[in-house]
Amino acid sequence: MTIPMLDLGREYEYMRNDIDQAIRKCLEHQKWILGPEVGELEKKISNYLGVKHCVGVSSGTDALVLGLRALALKIKGKEFFDRTDEIITTPFTFTATGDAILRSGAIPVFVDIDPQTFNIDTGKIAEYLENQGDKVVGILPVHLYGLACDMDKIMGLAEKNKIFVLEDVAQASGGAWKNRKLGSIGNVGAFSFFPSKNLGGFGDGGMVATDDDEIADIVRILLKHGGKDKYNVDYLGYNARLDTIQAAVLVAKFKYLDQFNEKRRMIAEFYNENLKEIGHIITPEITPDAYHVYHQYTIRVKNGKRDGLQNYLKEKGIATMIYYPVCLHRMKLFEGRSKSFKTLINADNITSEVLSLPIEPLMKNEELQYIVSEIKNYFSTKD
Ligand SMILES: Cc1ncc(COP(=O)(O)O)c(C=O)c1O
């Protein structure tokens, strides 16, 4: 049996009628730039999240950059943050989280993660703010793998220190913290519609969510070259619109989001149940306050056995991935351009333990059975 990490073709077959119809409509109206589907998607997602504004943009990365630049304009009246302005984030994330901070002008301050949840350690955020937080303008938590950060603690710290929170929701569409949808809790939420995401298009796409009228207005200006219209340009902007055809595909796929997230949770439960007895494996934390949407199902493999397991599974036709083999503070890009708070030992150590297993809403039972039986086989020969 061959099992890929993700089989988007299977998803397409499942939703084929909805998607084909949506694309055909675009072919007929030909409104390729900011056509009606963009507004339709924005409305659907703002209702779903319970926020005033959603603004479609061209990627999750752009959602982060535009969100941050809008915050700089609102808070500081400046197009970019200063390099002395600090934004606290996690080093254990995709590079876009950190490089968006750099592109907004600010400096990322990496604080360590909690190895149980893989998310930023809120105790460490508090410690940094308490002791050397005078330059901090905001916190950028990432809901990694689809699991919510502790948003009560993060919002409490932000309020106390009068700083903003921008949630990186790239991996957590549909996820929640205490029944509040992720991306609706901080000042701004940044979503990605990269094809592999829980809500993914047929190319790049993203969205900024906010209750703040001013932020939403500025994002709409920045994504169209920085002007209210083509010939009244105030800011250095971008061409960062969400394509009509992507919005159309996303509207069609959106109706499956909750159902698919439920399926991801069922698959995760199956893995948890079947892998919990294996001594070398730590299954993902179940946080009662979080509605985990398992963008990735990531286990920790202890005692130096991760690479051996991955190679064995590959021989058996089972794809797995390592998210992430390198932390941001280890990348050349961030050398001399970031700060690290104390040691980032948990983040560093976890890079050699994490292994993401296939998780896809339409996976078959026999595929899941095969994966867990091969993992068990591998460890039955090891102690
Ligand atoms: C945590 C995180 N932030 C940001 C991004 C960037 O999103 P995009 O690829 O849509 O630009 C991603 C996507 O890969 C991500 O996983």
Side-chain angles (χ1 to χ4, degrees):
M1 205 183 296
T2 306
I3 306 179
M5 274 302 277
L6 192 62
D7 182 354
L8 289 173
R10 187 138 72 175
E11 234 176 81
Y12 171 58
E13 282 308 321
Y14 189 80
M15 310 172 181
R16 189 181 200 122
N17 284 345
D18 296 296
I19 291 173
D20 287 4
Q21 244 181 47
I23 293 178
R24 207 168 311 118
K25 218 167 127 196
C26 296
L27 294 171
E28 277 154 20
H29 70 49
Q30 295 281 320
K31 293 178 181 138
W32 299 116
I33 304 295
L34 297 182
E37 287 81 0
V38 176
E40 194 184 340
L41 181 73
E42 290 174 347
K43 201 172 277 171
K44 269 191 195 309
I45 298 191
S46 57
N47 285 341
Y48 178 76
L49 298 175
V51 295
K52 262 172 99 178
H53 308 279
C54 275
V55 185
V57 294
S58 47
S59 68
T61 307
D62 290 327
L64 291 166
V65 174
L66 268 64
L68 288 171
R69 287 202 49 201
L71 283 159
L73 277 161
K74 182 181 164 105
I75 295 166
K76 302 196 67 158
K78 283 179 159 188
E79 281 199 71
F80 294 89
F81 287 113
D82 295 311
R83 269 293 179 247
T84 46
D85 293 329
E86 297 179 356
I87 298 177
I88 296 175
T89 195
T90 169
F92 191 60
T93 178
F94 183 58
T95 174
T97 310
D99 69 51
I101 295 176
L102 289 178
R103 284 196 261 162
S104 76
I107 180 165
V109 176
F110 297 120
V111 311
D112 209 357
I113 59 162
D114 169 355
Q116 300 332 314
T117 63
F118 306 106
N119 279 331
I120 194 162
D121 181 338
T122 51
K124 296 262 164 57
I125 303 178
E127 212 183 313
Y128 187 78
L129 286 169
E130 183 107 343
N131 297 310
Q132 37 187 309
D134 51 318
K135 302 239 166 49
V136 177
V137 292
I139 307 172
L140 203 169
V142 179
H143 306 299
L144 202 74
Y145 307 145
L147 177 64
C149 296
D150 185 331
M151 289 309 290
D152 290 348
K153 292 220 175 101
I154 289 173
M155 295 312 291
L157 289 168
E159 272 155 37
K160 185 172 160 204
N161 291 276
K162 299 189 171 45
I163 56 180
F164 70 78
V165 174
L166 187 153
E167 295 173 73
D168 183 336
V169 207
Q171 301 190 7
S173 288
W177 172 257
K178 292 189 177 168
N179 295 321
R180 288 183 69 190
K181 286 276 187 297
L182 300 179
S184 72
I185 304 169
N187 306 75
V188 180
F191 290 83
S192 164
F193 303 136
F194 185 80
S196 64
K197 296 295 196 274
N198 290 35
L199 178 59
F202 285 0
D204 283 306
M207 189 155 277
V208 174
T210 185
D211 275 326
D212 188 314
D213 300 342
E214 197 181 339
I215 298 275
D217 281 349
I218 300 170
V219 170
R220 285 197 193 281
I221 289 170
L222 289 176
L223 69 84
K224 287 185 287 182
H225 302 284
K228 282 208 165 67
D229 63 57
K230 273 188 202 167
Y231 306 107
N232 285 295
V233 178
D234 297 328
Y235 308 119
L236 184 61
Y238 308 85
N239 179 353
R241 295 170 291 233
L242 177 64
D243 280 334
T244 303
I245 198 158
Q246 293 305 339
V249 169
L250 290 160
V251 168
K253 289 183 78 178
F254 175 70
K255 79 175 193 206
Y256 297 95
L257 177 64
D258 285 345
Q259 171 195 333
F260 273 29
N261 280 339
E262 270 301 305
K263 288 202 168 152
R264 286 175 183 273
R265 288 167 59 83
M266 281 161 63
I267 295 169
E269 227 171 87
F270 174 85
Y271 277 137
N272 286 343
E273 218 25 61
N274 283 279
L275 301 178
K276 68 177 184 207
E277 303 301 340
I278 301 175
H280 300 289
I281 287 180
I282 302 177
T283 55
E285 172 103 341
I286 297 170
T287 317
D289 288 326
Y291 180 79
H292 196 330
V293 288
Y294 294 98
H295 172 58
Q296 299 296 342
Y297 180 87
T298 303
I299 54 172
R300 288 165 65 193
V301 188
K302 303 295 286 180
N303 313 317
K305 296 195 184 304
R306 193 264 317 266
D307 293 351
L309 173 63
Q310 185 176 39
N311 290 333
Y312 174 82
L313 292 176
K314 191 174 170 199
E315 279 166 25
K316 299 289 172 189
I318 301 166
T320 57
M321 290 292 279
I322 296 168
Y323 298 116
Y324 295 94
V326 184
C327 290
L328 270 49
H329 64 285
R330 299 284 170 201
M331 292 182 184
K332 189 161 178 252
L333 167 67
F334 295 101
E335 261 173 40
R337 285 182 172 145
S338 65
K339 277 191 181 174
S340 294
F341 178 48
K342 295 190 170 167
T343 71
L344 304 177
I345 191 89
N346 292 333
D348 274 329
N349 286 345
I350 220 155
T351 56
S352 58
E353 296 180 352
V354 283
L355 190 68
S356 300
L357 304 179
I359 187 161
E360 192 213 295
L362 299 173
M363 278 177 85
K364 297 193 182 88
N365 222 8
E366 59 261 34
E367 293 174 317
L368 291 166
Q369 297 282 3
Y370 177 63
I371 295 169
V372 299
S373 73
E374 286 304 344
I375 294 174
K376 283 178 183 163
N377 279 347
Y378 177 74
F379 284 108
S380 67
T381 59
K382 314 263 172 237
D383 30 57

Short mmCIF file of all heavy atoms in Angstrom, two decimals, residues 275-317:
data_model
loop_
_atom_site.label_atom_id
_atom_site.label_comp_id
_atom_site.label_asym_id
_atom_site.label_seq_id
_atom_site.Cartn_x
_atom_site.Cartn_y
_atom_site.Cartn_z
N LEU A 275 -1.64 4.35 19.38
CA LEU A 275 -0.20 4.58 19.56
C LEU A 275 0.18 4.82 21.01
O LEU A 275 1.37 4.84 21.35
CB LEU A 275 0.25 5.79 18.70
CG LEU A 275 0.02 5.67 17.19
CD1 LEU A 275 0.47 6.94 16.48
CD2 LEU A 275 0.77 4.47 16.60
N LYS A 276 -0.84 4.98 21.86
CA LYS A 276 -0.53 5.41 23.24
C LYS A 276 0.29 4.38 24.03
O LYS A 276 1.01 4.75 24.95
CB LYS A 276 -1.80 5.82 23.98
CG LYS A 276 -2.73 4.68 24.28
CD LYS A 276 -3.93 5.15 25.07
CE LYS A 276 -4.77 3.94 25.41
NZ LYS A 276 -6.16 4.20 25.59
N GLU A 277 0.19 3.13 23.64
CA GLU A 277 0.91 2.09 24.40
C GLU A 277 2.39 1.99 24.01
O GLU A 277 3.15 1.29 24.64
CB GLU A 277 0.26 0.71 24.19
CG GLU A 277 -1.21 0.61 24.56
CD GLU A 277 -1.48 0.96 26.01
OE1 GLU A 277 -0.54 0.92 26.81
OE2 GLU A 277 -2.64 1.32 26.31
N ILE A 278 2.76 2.65 22.93
CA ILE A 278 4.16 2.51 22.48
C ILE A 278 5.04 3.46 23.29
O ILE A 278 4.87 4.69 23.25
CB ILE A 278 4.28 2.82 20.97
CG1 ILE A 278 3.38 1.87 20.17
CG2 ILE A 278 5.74 2.73 20.51
CD1 ILE A 278 3.31 2.14 18.69
N GLY A 279 5.96 2.87 24.02
CA GLY A 279 6.77 3.63 24.97
C GLY A 279 7.56 4.78 24.38
O GLY A 279 7.75 5.81 25.03
N HIS A 280 8.00 4.64 23.16
CA HIS A 280 8.86 5.67 22.57
C HIS A 280 8.07 6.84 21.98
O HIS A 280 8.66 7.81 21.52
CB HIS A 280 9.73 5.06 21.47
CG HIS A 280 10.63 3.97 21.97
ND1 HIS A 280 11.72 4.21 22.78
CD2 HIS A 280 10.59 2.63 21.79
CE1 HIS A 280 12.32 3.06 23.07
NE2 HIS A 280 11.64 2.08 22.49
N ILE A 281 6.75 6.70 21.96
CA ILE A 281 5.93 7.72 21.27
C ILE A 281 5.12 8.55 22.26
O ILE A 281 4.52 8.01 23.19
CB ILE A 281 4.97 7.03 20.26
CG1 ILE A 281 5.79 6.52 19.05
CG2 ILE A 281 3.88 7.98 19.80
CD1 ILE A 281 4.96 5.83 17.99
N ILE A 282 5.14 9.86 22.05
CA ILE A 282 4.24 10.74 22.81
C ILE A 282 3.22 11.27 21.81
O ILE A 282 3.58 11.91 20.81
CB ILE A 282 5.00 11.91 23.46
CG1 ILE A 282 6.10 11.37 24.38
CG2 ILE A 282 4.04 12.84 24.22
CD1 ILE A 282 6.95 12.47 25.03
N THR A 283 1.96 10.97 22.06
CA THR A 283 0.89 11.44 21.16
C THR A 283 0.55 12.89 21.51
O THR A 283 0.88 13.35 22.61
CB THR A 283 -0.35 10.54 21.27
OG1 THR A 283 -0.74 10.48 22.65
CG2 THR A 283 -0.09 9.15 20.75
N PRO A 284 -0.09 13.62 20.58
CA PRO A 284 -0.32 15.06 20.82
C PRO A 284 -1.20 15.32 22.04
O PRO A 284 -2.10 14.53 22.35
CB PRO A 284 -1.02 15.55 19.56
CG PRO A 284 -0.91 14.47 18.56
CD PRO A 284 -0.57 13.20 19.27
N GLU A 285 -0.91 16.43 22.68
CA GLU A 285 -1.64 16.86 23.88
C GLU A 285 -3.11 17.12 23.54
O GLU A 285 -3.42 17.68 22.49
CB GLU A 285 -0.99 18.17 24.36
CG GLU A 285 -1.70 18.87 25.48
CD GLU A 285 -0.99 18.65 26.80
OE1 GLU A 285 -0.19 17.70 26.92
OE2 GLU A 285 -1.25 19.43 27.72
N ILE A 286 -3.98 16.69 24.44
CA ILE A 286 -5.39 17.06 24.27
C ILE A 286 -5.68 18.16 25.29
O ILE A 286 -5.60 17.93 26.49
CB ILE A 286 -6.31 15.84 24.47
CG1 ILE A 286 -5.99 14.80 23.39
CG2 ILE A 286 -7.78 16.25 24.42
CD1 ILE A 286 -6.64 13.45 23.59
N THR A 287 -5.95 19.36 24.79
CA THR A 287 -6.20 20.49 25.67
C THR A 287 -7.70 20.70 25.72
O THR A 287 -8.30 21.00 24.68
CB THR A 287 -5.53 21.77 25.11
OG1 THR A 287 -4.23 21.43 24.64
CG2 THR A 287 -5.45 22.88 26.11
N PRO A 288 -8.34 20.52 26.88
CA PRO A 288 -9.81 20.58 26.90
C PRO A 288 -10.39 21.90 26.38
O PRO A 288 -11.46 21.91 25.79
CB PRO A 288 -10.15 20.40 28.39
CG PRO A 288 -8.89 20.00 29.07
CD PRO A 288 -7.74 20.26 28.18
N ASP A 289 -9.68 23.01 26.58
CA ASP A 289 -10.22 24.30 26.14
C ASP A 289 -10.07 24.54 24.63
O ASP A 289 -10.61 25.51 24.11
CB ASP A 289 -9.54 25.44 26.89
CG ASP A 289 -9.99 25.49 28.34
OD1 ASP A 289 -11.17 25.17 28.59
OD2 ASP A 289 -9.17 25.83 29.20
N ALA A 290 -9.29 23.67 23.99
CA ALA A 290 -9.03 23.92 22.57
C ALA A 290 -9.80 22.93 21.71
O ALA A 290 -9.86 21.74 22.02
CB ALA A 290 -7.54 23.79 22.29
N TYR A 291 -10.36 23.42 20.63
CA TYR A 291 -10.93 22.54 19.60
C TYR A 291 -9.83 22.38 18.55
O TYR A 291 -9.60 23.27 17.72
CB TYR A 291 -12.20 23.17 19.02
CG TYR A 291 -12.86 22.33 17.96
CD1 TYR A 291 -13.65 21.24 18.30
CD2 TYR A 291 -12.68 22.61 16.60
CE1 TYR A 291 -14.26 20.45 17.33
CE2 TYR A 291 -13.29 21.83 15.62
CZ TYR A 291 -14.06 20.76 16.00
OH TYR A 291 -14.66 19.98 15.03
N HIS A 292 -9.12 21.26 18.66
CA HIS A 292 -7.94 21.01 17.81
C HIS A 292 -8.42 20.56 16.43
O HIS A 292 -9.25 19.66 16.33
CB HIS A 292 -7.12 19.90 18.49
CG HIS A 292 -5.70 19.76 18.01
ND1 HIS A 292 -5.30 20.06 16.73
CD2 HIS A 292 -4.58 19.33 18.65
CE1 HIS A 292 -3.99 19.83 16.60
NE2 HIS A 292 -3.54 19.38 17.77
N VAL A 293 -7.88 21.18 15.38
CA VAL A 293 -8.33 20.78 14.03
C VAL A 293 -7.25 20.03 13.24
O VAL A 293 -7.39 19.83 12.04
CB VAL A 293 -8.89 21.98 13.22
CG1 VAL A 293 -10.24 22.41 13.78
CG2 VAL A 293 -7.91 23.14 13.17
N TYR A 294 -6.19 19.62 13.93
CA TYR A 294 -5.21 18.69 13.38
C TYR A 294 -4.84 18.96 11.92
O TYR A 294 -4.98 18.08 11.07
CB TYR A 294 -5.69 17.24 13.55
CG TYR A 294 -5.75 16.83 14.99
CD1 TYR A 294 -6.96 16.87 15.69
CD2 TYR A 294 -4.60 16.43 15.67
CE1 TYR A 294 -7.02 16.52 17.04
CE2 TYR A 294 -4.66 16.08 17.01
CZ TYR A 294 -5.87 16.13 17.69
OH TYR A 294 -5.92 15.79 19.00
N HIS A 295 -4.37 20.17 11.65
CA HIS A 295 -3.78 20.39 10.33
C HIS A 295 -2.66 19.36 10.14
O HIS A 295 -2.48 18.81 9.06
CB HIS A 295 -3.23 21.82 10.24
CG HIS A 295 -2.44 22.04 9.00
ND1 HIS A 295 -2.98 21.86 7.75
CD2 HIS A 295 -1.15 22.38 8.80
CE1 HIS A 295 -2.06 22.09 6.83
NE2 HIS A 295 -0.94 22.40 7.44
N GLN A 296 -1.92 19.12 11.20
CA GLN A 296 -0.97 18.01 11.22
C GLN A 296 -1.25 17.17 12.46
O GLN A 296 -1.62 17.71 13.50
CB GLN A 296 0.48 18.52 11.30
CG GLN A 296 0.91 19.37 10.13
CD GLN A 296 0.91 18.61 8.81
OE1 GLN A 296 0.92 17.39 8.77
NE2 GLN A 296 0.88 19.36 7.72
N TYR A 297 -1.05 15.86 12.30
CA TYR A 297 -1.05 14.99 13.46
C TYR A 297 0.41 14.66 13.73
O TYR A 297 1.05 13.92 12.95
CB TYR A 297 -1.85 13.70 13.21
CG TYR A 297 -1.84 12.79 14.42
CD1 TYR A 297 -2.78 12.95 15.44
CD2 TYR A 297 -0.85 11.83 14.57
CE1 TYR A 297 -2.73 12.15 16.58
CE2 TYR A 297 -0.80 11.03 15.70
CZ TYR A 297 -1.74 11.20 16.70
OH TYR A 297 -1.68 10.42 17.83
N THR A 298 0.95 15.26 14.77
CA THR A 298 2.40 15.18 15.00
C THR A 298 2.70 14.48 16.31
O THR A 298 2.25 14.94 17.37
CB THR A 298 3.01 16.60 14.97
OG1 THR A 298 2.66 17.20 13.72
CG2 THR A 298 4.52 16.56 15.13
N ILE A 299 3.47 13.40 16.20
CA ILE A 299 3.88 12.68 17.41
C ILE A 299 5.32 13.07 17.73
O ILE A 299 6.04 13.62 16.89
CB ILE A 299 3.79 11.14 17.23
CG1 ILE A 299 4.60 10.69 15.98
CG2 ILE A 299 2.36 10.70 17.12
CD1 ILE A 299 4.72 9.18 15.83
N ARG A 300 5.71 12.80 18.98
CA ARG A 300 7.13 12.92 19.34
C ARG A 300 7.67 11.50 19.49
O ARG A 300 7.05 10.67 20.17
CB ARG A 300 7.28 13.67 20.65
CG ARG A 300 6.98 15.15 20.50
CD ARG A 300 6.79 15.80 21.83
NE ARG A 300 8.02 15.77 22.61
CZ ARG A 300 8.07 16.05 23.92
NH1 ARG A 300 6.98 16.36 24.59
NH2 ARG A 300 9.22 16.02 24.57
N VAL A 301 8.80 11.25 18.85
CA VAL A 301 9.42 9.93 18.95
C VAL A 301 10.70 10.10 19.75
O VAL A 301 11.61 10.83 19.35
CB VAL A 301 9.73 9.34 17.55
CG1 VAL A 301 10.19 7.89 17.69
CG2 VAL A 301 8.51 9.43 16.64
N LYS A 302 10.71 9.47 20.93
CA LYS A 302 11.81 9.69 21.88
C LYS A 302 12.99 8.75 21.60
O LYS A 302 12.91 7.88 20.76
CB LYS A 302 11.30 9.44 23.31
CG LYS A 302 10.12 10.29 23.72
CD LYS A 302 10.42 11.77 23.78
CE LYS A 302 11.25 12.14 25.00
NZ LYS A 302 11.52 13.61 25.03
N ASN A 303 14.02 8.99 22.35
CA ASN A 303 15.20 8.10 22.39
C ASN A 303 15.89 7.91 21.05
O ASN A 303 16.40 6.83 20.74
CB ASN A 303 14.79 6.72 22.98
CG ASN A 303 13.95 6.89 24.24
OD1 ASN A 303 14.28 7.72 25.09
ND2 ASN A 303 12.87 6.14 24.36
N GLY A 304 15.89 8.97 20.25
CA GLY A 304 16.64 8.94 18.99
C GLY A 304 16.07 7.99 17.94
O GLY A 304 16.77 7.59 17.02
N LYS A 305 14.78 7.66 18.08
CA LYS A 305 14.22 6.65 17.18
C LYS A 305 13.39 7.24 16.04
O LYS A 305 12.82 6.51 15.23
CB LYS A 305 13.40 5.64 17.98
CG LYS A 305 14.27 4.86 18.97
CD LYS A 305 13.56 3.65 19.49
CE LYS A 305 14.37 2.93 20.55
NZ LYS A 305 15.70 2.52 20.14
N ARG A 306 13.32 8.56 15.97
CA ARG A 306 12.46 9.19 14.96
C ARG A 306 12.90 8.86 13.53
O ARG A 306 12.09 8.41 12.70
CB ARG A 306 12.43 10.70 15.18
CG ARG A 306 11.36 11.47 14.42
CD ARG A 306 11.75 12.09 13.12
NE ARG A 306 13.01 12.76 13.07
CZ ARG A 306 13.17 14.07 13.27
NH1 ARG A 306 12.16 14.82 13.59
NH2 ARG A 306 14.38 14.61 13.14
N ASP A 307 14.17 9.06 13.21
CA ASP A 307 14.61 8.89 11.82
C ASP A 307 14.49 7.43 11.38
O ASP A 307 14.11 7.15 10.24
CB ASP A 307 16.04 9.40 11.64
CG ASP A 307 16.10 10.92 11.82
OD1 ASP A 307 15.02 11.55 11.90
OD2 ASP A 307 17.21 11.47 11.88
N GLY A 308 14.79 6.52 12.30
CA GLY A 308 14.66 5.09 11.98
C GLY A 308 13.22 4.75 11.64
O GLY A 308 12.94 4.06 10.66
N LEU A 309 12.30 5.27 12.44
CA LEU A 309 10.88 5.02 12.19
C LEU A 309 10.46 5.62 10.84
O LEU A 309 9.78 4.97 10.05
CB LEU A 309 10.02 5.61 13.33
CG LEU A 309 8.51 5.56 13.11
CD1 LEU A 309 8.01 4.11 13.03
CD2 LEU A 309 7.75 6.30 14.23
N GLN A 310 10.91 6.83 10.60
CA GLN A 310 10.52 7.48 9.34
C GLN A 310 11.02 6.68 8.13
O GLN A 310 10.28 6.46 7.17
CB GLN A 310 11.06 8.92 9.27
CG GLN A 310 10.56 9.61 8.02
CD GLN A 310 10.97 11.06 7.90
OE1 GLN A 310 12.09 11.43 8.24
NE2 GLN A 310 10.07 11.89 7.40
N ASN A 311 12.26 6.21 8.20
CA ASN A 311 12.81 5.43 7.08
C ASN A 311 12.07 4.11 6.91
O ASN A 311 11.79 3.68 5.78
CB ASN A 311 14.31 5.16 7.30
CG ASN A 311 15.10 6.44 7.13
OD1 ASN A 311 14.69 7.34 6.41
ND2 ASN A 311 16.25 6.54 7.81
N TYR A 312 11.76 3.49 8.03
CA TYR A 312 11.03 2.21 7.97
C TYR A 312 9.66 2.42 7.30
O TYR A 312 9.27 1.68 6.41
CB TYR A 312 10.85 1.65 9.39
CG TYR A 312 10.00 0.42 9.45
CD1 TYR A 312 10.55 -0.84 9.18
CD2 TYR A 312 8.64 0.50 9.78
CE1 TYR A 312 9.76 -1.98 9.21
CE2 TYR A 312 7.85 -0.64 9.81
CZ TYR A 312 8.41 -1.87 9.54
OH TYR A 312 7.62 -3.01 9.57
N LEU A 313 8.96 3.47 7.72
CA LEU A 313 7.63 3.72 7.15
C LEU A 313 7.74 4.04 5.65
O LEU A 313 6.89 3.61 4.85
CB LEU A 313 6.93 4.87 7.90
CG LEU A 313 6.55 4.55 9.35
CD1 LEU A 313 5.96 5.78 10.04
CD2 LEU A 313 5.55 3.39 9.44
N LYS A 314 8.79 4.75 5.30
CA LYS A 314 8.99 5.06 3.87
C LYS A 314 9.14 3.76 3.07
O LYS A 314 8.54 3.61 2.00
CB LYS A 314 10.24 5.93 3.73
CG LYS A 314 10.40 6.54 2.36
CD LYS A 314 11.57 7.51 2.33
CE LYS A 314 11.87 7.90 0.90
NZ LYS A 314 13.22 8.44 0.78
N GLU A 315 9.92 2.83 3.60
CA GLU A 315 10.08 1.52 2.92
C GLU A 315 8.74 0.81 2.77
O GLU A 315 8.54 0.05 1.83
CB GLU A 315 11.00 0.61 3.74
CG GLU A 315 12.47 0.88 3.53
CD GLU A 315 13.31 0.19 4.61
OE1 GLU A 315 12.85 -0.83 5.19
OE2 GLU A 315 14.41 0.69 4.88
N LYS A 316 7.86 1.06 3.70
CA LYS A 316 6.54 0.40 3.66
C LYS A 316 5.53 1.21 2.85
O LYS A 316 4.32 0.93 2.87
CB LYS A 316 5.99 0.20 5.09
CG LYS A 316 6.88 -0.66 5.95
CD LYS A 316 6.83 -2.11 5.48
CE LYS A 316 7.86 -2.97 6.18
NZ LYS A 316 7.96 -4.31 5.59
N GLY A 317 5.99 2.28 2.21
CA GLY A 317 5.11 3.08 1.34
C GLY A 317 4.32 4.16 2.07
O GLY A 317 3.38 4.73 1.53
#
